Amino acid sequence: MVAQILMKLISLNVGLPRIVEWNGNPVATGIFKDPVPGSVRLRTLNLDGDRQADLSVHGGVSKAVYAYPAEHYEFWKKELPAMKLPYGMFGENFTTEGLSEDSVNVGDRFRIGKAEVMATEPRLPCYKLAIKFGRADIIRKFLQSRRTGFYFAVLEEGAVRAGDEIELISRDANNIAIADITRLYAFERDDLETLRRAVTLEALSESWRGYFAHQIQKLTG
């Protein structure tokens, strides 16, 4: 008998946008998140008490909430031994246990507390991550590590809290993992077979599908 992996919400993190200085200029960012106790309502666009600063890059229906595996923190503690790395450090709303970019498919549906969510895409690092960490090289390190975390769309609003179990409701039959999207974007851009499968994913945003369609066009001439 194979033991089931327990999937759990370890930390629930929220934060409103703030203005910080970066390269001598004021920048609005919502990447600063702190763990909160108790129950918080997860809504279609975000959690109560949380908001994204730049909706052209973050947020929206397909990126309502950002999840990051707690297991990755051990890697980063070794990679960045001088830094304090509390949960929420990567700007994630959900610090999870038992989920990974390899095991979660685009389109997988989960029950967390009273809410239902669907995995949509990986997180690509931007300069806001460099602001949070105070070092520009974190953007390259983050992408190269392939420890991107992933976004959820909210299918059913409801209350969530740290300690909630994460239940897999349905597995997307296309079998394209979150890790595959990152791989096609940054590492194996010529994997035509997987690119052709990726552009058919209804759960993947139009911007991603358009990007992959362009890649296919370049490869096939």
Side-chain angles (χ1 to χ4, degrees):
M1 183 176 177
V2 179
Q4 285 190 327
I5 296 174
L6 179 64
M7 299 183 295
K8 191 174 181 181
L9 179 58
I10 297 297
S11 183
L12 179 62
N13 317 298
V14 302
L16 295 174
R18 64 177 71 171
I19 303 295
V20 298
E21 187 175 303
W22 180 247
N23 292 334
N25 297 305
V27 174
T29 177
I31 199 170
F32 292 87
K33 311 290 185 191
D34 294 307
V36 292
S39 179
V40 178
R41 190 164 183 82
L42 176 60
R43 302 187 186 275
T44 302
L45 292 178
N46 47 37
L47 289 149
D48 282 355
D50 189 78
R51 202 167 71 244
Q52 300 89 1
D54 184 357
L55 294 178
S56 68
V57 180
H58 306 285
V61 172
S62 66
K63 296 189 285 187
V65 61
Y66 175 47
Y68 199 71
E71 293 87 346
H72 292 345
Y73 274 83
E74 286 306 311
F75 168 84
W76 290 113
K77 285 174 183 176
K78 293 175 182 176
E79 189 77 11
L80 307 169
M83 290 201 70
K84 291 183 178 179
L85 297 173
Y87 289 148
M89 185 67 185
F90 293 88
E92 78 268 19
N93 302 109
F94 291 170
T95 312
T96 62
E97 182 179 81
L99 302 176
S100 72
E101 294 84 357
D102 291 315
S103 67
V104 174
N105 284 342
V106 175
D108 283 357
R109 299 184 177 202
F110 300 90
R111 171 74 59 184
I112 306 176
K114 301 296 183 181
E116 182 181 334
V117 298
M118 179 177 68
T120 56
E121 59 187 84
R123 185 261 193 92
L124 294 181
C126 73
Y127 74 98
K128 302 289 181 69
L129 194 64
I131 291 175
K132 182 69 181 292
F133 278 75
R135 50 191 299 164
D137 66 341
I138 190 63
I139 298 173
R140 175 183 53 81
K141 287 178 178 290
F142 185 86
L143 188 58
Q144 288 186 340
S145 76
R146 307 197 191 199
R147 292 167 170 83
T148 62
F150 34 86
Y151 287 105
F152 287 131
V154 179
L155 304 180
E156 183 180 325
E157 296 185 353
V160 295
R161 65 189 303 155
D164 281 343
E165 288 191 18
I166 300 174
E167 174 193 357
L168 177 64
I169 296 174
S170 65
R171 187 88 165 140
D172 189 87
N174 294 288
N175 202 35
I176 299 287
I178 293 292
D180 288 321
I181 303 300
T182 305
R183 177 174 61 81
L184 292 173
Y185 171 76
F187 302 99
E188 298 175 25
R189 299 182 179 93
D190 59 350
D191 182 354
L192 194 56
E193 188 272 332
T194 310
L195 282 167
R196 284 175 167 151
R197 292 168 57 212
V199 294
T200 68
L201 290 173
E202 291 184 9
L204 197 61
S205 68
E206 287 186 17
S207 60
W208 270 112
R209 283 182 282 157
Y211 176 80
F212 289 145
H214 181 64
Q215 287 294 102
I216 293 171
Q217 188 176 28
K218 286 200 301 183
L219 289 169
T220 57

